[in-house]
Structure formats: structure tokens, C-alpha cells
Amino acid sequence: MSTEIVNTDIKIKLLDLFQENLSVIKNDSPDYINKIREKAIELFSKLGFPDKKNENYKYTDVKKEFDNGYKTYLSPKNIKFEIKDIFSCDVPDLNTKVILLLNGWFYDRENLLQELPGGAIIGSLQKAMEVYPELVERHFAKYADMEKEGLVALNTAFVKDGIFLYVPKGVVIEKPIQVINVLMDEEEGFTSHRNLYILEENSQASVVVCDHTLSAVNFLTNSVAEFFVGQNAHFDYSRIQNEHNGSKQISHLFFHQEKDSKVTNNTISLHGGVIRNNISVLLNGEGCENNTYGLYLTDKGQHIDNYIFIDHAKPNCISNQLFKGVLDDFATGAFNGKILVRKDAQKTQAYQANNNILLTDDADIKTRPQLEIYADDVKCSHGATVGQLDENAMFYMRARGIPKKEAKLLLMYAFAHEVIQKIKVPALKDRINDLVEKRLRGELSRCNSCQMHCCNT
Amino acid sequence: MLSIKNLHANIEGKEILKGINLEVKEGEVHAIMGPNGSGKSTLASVLAGRDMFTVTEGKVTYMGHNLFELSPEERASEGIFLGFQYPIEIPGVSMVNFMKTALNEQRKHKGLEPLSSSDFLKHMREKKELVELDTNLTNRSVNEGFSGGEKKRNEIFQMAMLEPKLAILDETDSGLDIDALRIVANGVNKLKSPHNASIVITHYQRLLDYIIPDYVHVLYDGKIIRSGGKELAFELEEKGYDWLKKGITV
Ligand SMILES: Nc1ncnc2c1ncn2[C@@H]1O[C@H](COP(=O)(O)OP(=O)(O)OP(=O)(O)O)[C@@H](O)[C@H]1O
Ligand SMILES: [Mg+2]
């Protein structure tokens, strides 16, 4: 399905695309989804794209990124490749279950839903909508707020496929699940996968998501993931964003945490032309813990924008945000961290830190903490720094014989280390350590298939 | 080994070194003393290659090289070691990684193979014993949270690890307790050989009881105003610097 590049507003174009392909879009989706779809397209029509007047999008013009005549993926495309060929050595010691999404579609069409030990289910969201309607209906579009955000409404209107994970009550999945989002096509493409993770009470799981581009054309992604983390459930979610620099990625994560649940979320951004990450957390019960961490290493003309919103709705919860970034060349970025402590959320502890190193005068980052506190018995802190590499430390190392380049690397690596250290799965931590070191050395390939390259060398 | 001729250096236009002359030969120990702010650390920094200071005049030759043509890391690899008056904390860089990188980079510069991990650890264990460095310190980030004395001892440990030809120790004795002072001095003396030399910057004659200098120089307002043997240190200890300042036009 392709759109002509005519001089109409991209919003109108997308609305038209929706109407013209209504039957394809609605086909295969149950009614309850199509009802939500109708509401979503209405909302998108009303809200449109956030523009630069929107405080939350001040530093990233997302609309511009859509206006590129991307082809959309209204049905899965058959591209055959062996997952082993590409990722065989990528995560060598990480004993994981590997799941692949190709251009937003669950790849293994023969095996759309798989059962894991204990009755957990992993697979295609589209299939799950059909097979587990009550479960999906109970959670789908309940946490991703499309009333406020046109991009979420857009994703919901076009929703087709993505990851579905269900972990029933009390079930602990020991092995991390690895999700690989692959973008691969001959033509420029727009994907908008939708993901739903349901962790019932006392369950545990950890998921690693890797975003990759395997062909050199430009891609745009507008993805949404919803996470329901039930009472006393523990969930680890790490992402490695490593698309080529011709790709634009907008992601929206919505975490809904119930009483005594614990979520740790790491976002490691290595490559990608424009990256906008929205992470929204609702602490909806007492005793929750949320850790939202991020590391971004950018150079050339990359742009990274992290927007975090932590909603302390209930008392006695703790949240930690730590985002660190190194920006080289003329890379630009923004960090916006909002903490809302509602009136009843007494004994809240909420911490936020954003530290940045700019390696050149042309690199730039805007960092903005926002605290809205309506409870009186709280402990909150926030701190943001933008600095250069420590000259004294550089000289100290050089005076011991360490060349400038190596000294710089050691310092950058030391800076990044604090975030990497927070990654829980040891094998993943080692892997990310490696990737980060390669990235800092400039050895991580910038072309379309970095992983294949590191495998071959 | 080292020859400094009429060295002038400034920072942001302010002249700090105003014509230093100094000759250091293999096997010698030179002590530099002088009041606060006279330029001792500046001299040490200029020799190590700190680029915040601008050299405006003069010449320094080291082992036949024009020193100013070498980067700080090349100077280090050619055997110059600066023991910092205020050692720098580097959070996130472990002592082990720091020393291993430094040692192997210096070896690379000399065309040698990097040390294997086990050889490196053995070397490190020996040197740690030599300076009686607490084992825990090497497991931590460089100087991070080290006490003042531990930082100084760590400088000597690094010196022992890197085995320099010319050690410039900037007030390595300050802040050390008596035992530590003895250990530090011992470390310096153990490294002494007919082929290397040290420049020891200190305020206290006490250190010179342990490290016997061949020459003592007094630096005052950017110039060496007096040089002598070790007895000059005693004289300074007794009389201070005022008697030397007389007759100097500032
Ligand atoms: N970064 C700097 N900026 C400005 N002035 C400086 C700087 N570093 C040193 N100076 C000045 O240079 C002069 C010499 O300083 P230096 O540190 O060399 O003295 P010193 O002899 O080592 O003193 P001390 O015995 O206190 O260690 C002082 O007046 C000092 O203020
Ligand atoms: Mg000094």
C-alpha cells in the first residue's frame, strides 16, 4: 500500500489512508478492537501531531518525520531469512527465548502463539486478540492514553500486530525473553507495532528488546507498548536501540504498576537518526518500585529525546530515574523528566538524575526536570548536569602514558558504566558493556546491519 | 638527562615561571623547596606537559629530546613520572584498569608486547607490597574516596608500577603520617639507580632525612634563587625563606 506524495497535510493523508483501507485494516480484527480503532482515529483527527508549541515536544518536530511518503505495512510481508544467520553470535551467553518482529509483524507465522512453562504465553498480539479476547480486552488500550497524545491514537487506529506476553499469576519465567524488532525492506517503510505485556500478581519475567534495521532505506516507527504489572510482580525490561541513522523512531511505553510491584526499565540508545522515547509510569498501588534508566551515546547528526513521566498516585512508592548521555559532533538531544506526586501519595520517594557530556561545542542537550508535588511528606530530588570530560582526569591519565584517545574513552566508558551496572541480567550486562565499548570506540558499524558486521570480524 | 634553560611560562597572561635553569643528571636527587605560590607545582606541570600553561621562552631537553615536542603521554612513556600534589579522582575507572592501560600503553610505545593478565597481577602484587598499599585500594576507582595519605601512597605505587627514569614528586610527603613517610621514602630509594633521577618538591626538611638529596634548590617567585647541598635544607628549616628574599628585587 503506498501513498502518493502530494502536497496535502500528512494528517489528512493518514486519515485518508485509514478510510481507503478500512476493510483491510479492520479485517482480522475482532469487533472490540475495531471499536477502539474508530475512537482512536477520531481522536487522532482531533489531536493531530504534537507540534513544537506542545511543551513536551518542544525539541523534536515529530510531524516532519511522518511527511516522507512512507509505505505502510497493512499486512505482513513475506521476507524469508533465517534468524540464526543474523543473530547467531549476537547474544552468545544469553540463554534466551528469541522472538522476532519483522516490520512490526510477528515473524513466525506458523507459530503465532507459543506456550511457555507455567502457562505463560508469548506471541503475536493480533492472534491473541482473537484467541484470548477477554484477556486482551481487559488490558488493551487501558494504559496507553490516547486522549492526550495524537501519536498514541494514531498507533491505536492502525493497530495490527506486535508482541503479546502473558504471564499468569505466580508464574516465574526464568529465561529472559529476547524480542528483536527488525526493519527490512527495499522501500522506505513506516511501522507502528503495538505490544501488550500482562504480568499477573506474583509473576516475574524479563524482556530484552533490540531494535535493528537490516536494510539501508529510511524507516519510521511509531510504536506503543503497554505493560500491566500486577501486585507484587517483578518485571525487567531492557531495550537496545540500534537502528541506522536514516531511521526515525518514536516509542511510547506505558507501565501500569499495582501494589508492591517492581519494574526496572533500561533504554540503551546507540544508533538511530531521530529517537523519541516516551516512558510513562503509573504507580497505582502502595509499595511499588520503579527504576527507569537510560543511556544514550550519539554523534553526527543524531537526535535523541527522552520524555519520562512518573505518576506517584499512591503512597509509599519509590521511583528512580537515571539518564546519562554522551553527545559528540553536532548531535542534539533533550531530556524531560516529570515527577507527579499526587496529594495522597505520602511517603513517596522519587529521585531523578540526568547527566550529560558534550564532546564538542556543537553538540547540544536540553535537560528539564519537572516536579509537581501535592503531598507534603515526600523525599524527592532531581539533578541535571551538562559538562565536558574532566580535563584534570584526562591529564592525570595522559601523565601516566595513556594516549588522549584512550583516556577519553576510559572516561566516557566510566561515565556510561553507572547505567550499564543497573542491568540485572548478567549476560545481557556483559553484552551491553561490549556494545557500549564498541560504540564509544566508533567500531559499532553505522550501516544497516551492525550485528552482522560484528559477527564477521 | 634533563636540562632546563631560561624557562618562562605563564597562565592566562600571568607569568609564573620567570627564567628557571636546572640540570639534572642520571643518578641524582634534586630537592626543590620554596614558599607557597612560588611556582614549584607549575614547574612540575610544565615538565609533565600540562597545556594550561604556556611556555613563552626557554628550552628543555630530556634524554636528547626537545621536551616540548612530546605529548604528555609520550613524556610518560619516555620515563617522566609526575607525582601529583593533588591526585585526581576518576570515578568509574578502576585502579587495576587504569594501571594496566598505562603500563601496556607505555610498553606499546617501547615496542613491547602487553603484559599478560597474570604477569600484570604479579607485578602489581609486588609493587603493592613494596609501598604497603592496602589491597582494597586497587579494587576501587582511581583515588575515589581515598584519604589524603592514601592518595599520596597511591602516587608512589603508580611510580613503582611504571618504573620511570625521572620522577618528579610534588609534595608527596605532605599529609603523610610518619610511617607512611618512611614507606614513601623507602619506595623512592628502592627505585633509585645510577640510571634514573628524581626531583623532590617538598616543604619539609624531614623528608630529606629519608631521601638524601644531592642538591637543594630554592624556588622563589618563579626563579631559582639559591642552590646548595643538603645542608641548605637545614638552614631553611631553621631560618625560613626571608633571609634569602633579601637582596632580591621583586
Ligand atoms: N590555574 C591557575 N590559574 C591561575 N593562577 C594559577 C593557576 N595555577 C597556578 N597559578 C598561580 O601560579 C602561582 C604558582 O603556583 P604553584 O602551584 O606553582 O605554586 P607552588 O610553589 O606549588 O605552591 P605550594 O607550595 O602552595 O604548592 C600561584 O600564584 C598560583 O596562584
Ligand atoms: Mg605546589
Side-chain angles (χ1 to χ4, degrees):
Chain A
M1 229 38 73
S2 34
T3 44
E4 293 271 302
I5 308 167
V6 277
N7 220 0
T8 32
D9 185 84
I10 180 65
K11 183 176 117 181
I12 308 292
K13 274 198 258 181
L14 285 163
L15 290 170
D16 289 350
L17 182 78
F18 183 83
Q19 296 306 337
E20 282 159 21
N21 297 286
L22 203 56
S23 60
V24 181
I25 294 170
K26 285 191 166 177
N27 192 20
D28 298 337
S29 292
D31 284 349
Y32 71 94
I33 295 291
N34 284 333
K35 252 188 228 143
I36 297 172
R37 204 188 283 290
E38 289 292 346
K39 191 177 159 209
I41 198 74
E42 238 172 73
L43 280 167
F44 175 66
S45 163
K46 192 176 105 197
L47 296 165
F49 290 96
D51 57 21
K52 287 209 165 189
K53 273 177 260 151
N54 183 327
E55 270 296 298
N56 301 343
Y57 279 88
K58 217 168 156 183
Y59 303 111
T60 305
D61 182 358
V62 284
K63 184 174 175 183
K64 184 184 82 191
E65 308 303 345
F66 280 82
D67 213 354
N68 251 329
Y70 292 107
K71 187 163 77 116
T72 59
Y73 294 100
L74 300 177
S75 52
K77 206 178 156 177
N78 243 352
I79 302 176
K80 278 284 165 222
F81 58 87
E82 272 295 314
I83 185 172
K84 291 197 299 294
D85 294 347
I86 298 167
F87 293 101
S88 52
C89 67
D90 187 22
V91 190
D93 321 317
L94 194 54
N95 187 10
T96 51
K97 168 121 199 91
V98 179
I99 299 294
L100 194 68
L101 283 188
L102 174 63
N103 301 326
W105 292 86
F106 199 80
Y107 180 68
D108 187 356
R109 305 305 295 176
E110 311 296 306
N111 246 322
L112 287 168
L113 291 170
Q114 302 169 34
E115 195 162 320
L116 300 173
I121 293 150
I122 178 98
S124 143
L125 178 62
Q126 187 184 33
K127 191 70 183 169
M129 287 169 174
E130 178 196 319
V131 181
Y132 305 105
E134 308 81 40
L135 195 56
V136 174
E137 193 172 7
R138 203 178 319 138
H139 296 282
F140 180 80
K142 295 288 186 295
Y143 318 116
D145 189 352
M146 48 183 190
E147 312 268 340
K148 280 207 205 90
E149 166 79 79
L151 290 170
V152 175
L154 178 68
N155 174 283
T156 311
F158 282 93
V159 63
K160 279 308 237 187
D161 204 2
I163 296 293
F164 172 75
L165 173 69
Y166 169 65
V167 190
K169 219 190 240 186
V171 171
V172 175
I173 302 182
E174 304 279 355
K175 273 190 188 180
I177 296 166
Q178 189 183 18
V179 175
I180 304 172
N181 279 321
V182 167
L183 298 176
M184 179 154 99
D185 205 347
E186 297 94 55
E187 294 171 83
E188 306 201 326
F190 166 52
T191 65
S192 65
H193 53 90
R194 177 73 173 227
N195 310 277
L196 181 61
Y197 294 82
I198 304 164
L199 281 96
E200 289 185 343
E201 56 187 85
N202 295 313
S203 68
Q204 288 184 30
S206 65
V207 172
V208 182
V209 179
C210 305
D211 298 328
H212 293 291
T213 37
L214 293 184
S215 35
V217 301
N218 292 345
F219 290 100
L220 171 65
T221 302
N222 177 43
S223 68
V224 171
E226 294 180 276
F227 305 86
F228 172 84
V229 184
Q231 187 173 334
N232 198 37
H234 289 199
F235 185 54
D236 268 18
Y237 185 77
S238 302
R239 281 192 288 180
I240 303 163
Q241 302 183 309
N242 199 17
E243 300 184 349
H244 64 61
N245 286 356
S247 71
K248 322 285 156 87
Q249 186 185 35
I250 304 159
S251 72
H252 313 263
L253 308 185
F254 294 90
F255 291 92
H256 178 101
Q257 287 188 239
E258 291 294 349
K259 189 168 180 289
D260 297 323
S261 63
K262 184 172 172 183
V263 168
T264 298
N265 164 26
N266 290 286
T267 300
I268 312 287
S269 313
L270 302 175
H271 282 297
V274 174
I275 300 174
R276 162 71 183 218
N277 296 316
N278 291 329
I279 302 173
S280 191
V281 176
L282 174 64
L283 302 175
N284 197 45
E286 287 197 41
C288 291
E289 178 180 330
N290 178 278
N291 303 304
T292 297
Y293 304 129
L295 173 67
Y296 40 99
L297 308 172
T298 59
D299 61 6
K300 307 261 170 69
Q302 279 184 272
H303 179 76
I304 172 102
D305 184 348
N306 284 302
Y307 182 88
I308 319 301
F309 174 48
I310 313 280
D311 185 348
H312 279 264
K314 293 283 152 64
N316 283 311
C317 294
I318 173 163
S319 69
N320 296 297
Q321 291 174 63
L322 173 66
F323 276 76
K324 296 185 100 171
V326 180
L327 293 88
D328 200 352
D329 300 328
F330 39 97
T332 52
F335 173 83
N336 204 321
K338 181 170 171 180
I339 298 171
L340 171 63
V341 182
R342 293 184 192 264
K343 199 158 155 274
D344 299 333
Q346 298 297 357
K347 308 266 183 221
T348 285
Q349 292 181 58
Y351 307 103
Q352 178 191 100
N354 174 232
N355 309 111
N356 300 283
I357 288 181
L358 303 180
L359 295 178
T360 67
D361 290 343
D362 293 327
D364 185 38
I365 182 106
K366 306 278 190 270
T367 168
R368 192 163 65 122
Q370 282 175 279
L371 267 59
E372 260 182 61
I373 300 174
Y374 300 104
D376 41 39
D377 184 10
V378 301
K379 266 191 216 153
C380 287
S381 74
H382 65 89
T385 58
V386 178
Q388 281 78 39
L389 286 178
D390 181 352
E391 280 298 320
N392 290 324
M394 282 286 284
F395 180 67
Y396 192 68
M397 291 198 257
R398 296 179 72 191
R400 296 296 177 255
I402 301 174
K404 193 175 179 177
K405 192 165 156 255
E406 205 63 28
K408 199 169 143 184
L409 206 71
L410 276 173
L411 286 182
M412 290 195 287
Y413 188 70
F415 176 80
H417 188 69
E418 196 187 349
V419 177
I420 302 171
Q421 222 179 328
K422 309 255 186 208
I423 293 164
K424 296 252 180 64
V425 183
L428 178 66
K429 188 197 283 188
D430 293 349
R431 179 67 190 139
I432 289 184
N433 242 324
D434 253 32
L435 282 174
V436 164
E437 199 184 325
K438 278 213 179 86
R439 176 70 181 92
L440 291 171
R441 283 184 186 277
E443 287 168 5
L444 195 62
S445 161
R446 280 136 215 266
C447 63
N448 50 18
S449 52
C450 59
Q451 298 311 326
M452 294 204 280
H453 278 244
C454 9
C455 292
N456 294 343
T457 51
Chain B
M1 174 183 265
L2 180 77
S3 156
I4 305 175
K5 295 224 164 74
N6 191 31
L7 178 64
H8 289 253
N10 70 34
I11 182 157
E12 287 155 12
K14 181 180 155 203
E15 183 160 67
I16 314 279
L17 301 183
K18 304 177 177 173
I20 305 263
N21 292 292
L22 185 67
E23 294 286 330
V24 178
K25 295 198 181 64
E26 288 187 350
E28 292 179 349
V29 175
H30 290 246
I32 296 183
M33 305 182 80
N36 294 130
S38 57
K40 302 181 297 295
S41 294
T42 303
L43 174 62
S45 296
V46 168
L47 294 177
R50 184 91 215 225
D51 62 5
M52 65 202 273
F53 300 98
T54 316
V55 173
T56 50
E57 232 185 297
K59 208 178 150 187
V60 179
T61 12
Y62 166 74
M63 307 285 297
H65 300 282
N66 174 354
L67 191 69
F68 300 133
E69 281 171 4
L70 303 180
S71 66
E73 53 270 32
E74 287 167 336
R75 296 179 199 195
S77 295
E78 291 291 330
I80 294 183
F81 178 90
L82 170 62
F84 283 63
Q85 182 174 5
Y86 304 109
I88 310 295
E89 299 193 6
I90 315 179
V93 177
S94 72
M95 267 310 293
V96 172
N97 196 15
F98 174 58
M99 272 295 98
K100 198 169 174 178
T101 310
L103 195 67
N104 282 334
E105 288 292 344
Q106 293 204 11
R107 289 177 66 89
K108 191 156 118 193
H109 180 88
K110 293 176 189 118
L112 299 171
E113 287 293 305
L115 280 187
S116 71
S117 277
S118 61
D119 285 348
F120 172 78
L121 289 174
K122 189 164 156 266
H123 183 67
M124 192 165 88
R125 208 173 317 120
E126 277 168 26
K127 300 305 177 183
K128 248 164 31 181
E129 275 165 25
L130 181 73
V131 300
E132 298 173 36
L133 190 78
D134 188 334
T135 296
N136 288 326
L137 293 182
T138 48
N139 293 331
R140 290 175 29 192
S141 290
V142 177
N143 290 320
E144 192 185 31
F146 287 25
S147 77
E150 285 168 344
K151 282 181 182 165
K152 294 301 172 82
R153 206 183 288 205
N154 190 22
E155 293 295 291
I156 298 302
F157 165 67
Q158 293 174 41
M159 178 179 81
M161 287 292 288
L162 299 171
E163 300 171 325
K165 275 204 188 69
L166 174 66
I168 304 164
L169 302 177
D170 191 357
E171 297 198 27
T172 304
D173 55 331
S174 307
L176 289 183
D177 61 42
I178 293 289
D179 288 339
L181 188 69
R182 184 184 42 75
I183 291 159
V184 163
N186 197 22
V188 175
N189 288 332
K190 284 227 174 94
L191 288 169
K192 214 177 142 176
S193 88
H195 302 294
N196 51 30
S198 350
I199 299 175
V200 182
I201 297 170
T202 182
H203 284 293
Y204 307 104
Q205 185 276 327
R206 190 183 65 168
L207 177 71
L208 306 178
D209 286 343
Y210 298 96
I211 305 173
I212 318 272
D214 299 296
Y215 300 95
V216 174
H217 310 277
V218 177
L219 188 65
Y220 176 72
D221 191 28
K223 284 198 273 282
I224 290 177
I225 55 166
R226 175 73 68 107
S227 295
K230 63 175 192 287
E231 60 298 333
L232 179 56
F234 290 100
E235 221 175 330
L236 293 170
E237 184 93 344
E238 204 176 297
K239 300 201 242 169
Y241 294 109
D242 275 350
W243 63 283
L244 284 172
K245 292 182 197 168
K246 290 191 188 99
I248 299 224
T249 44
V250 185

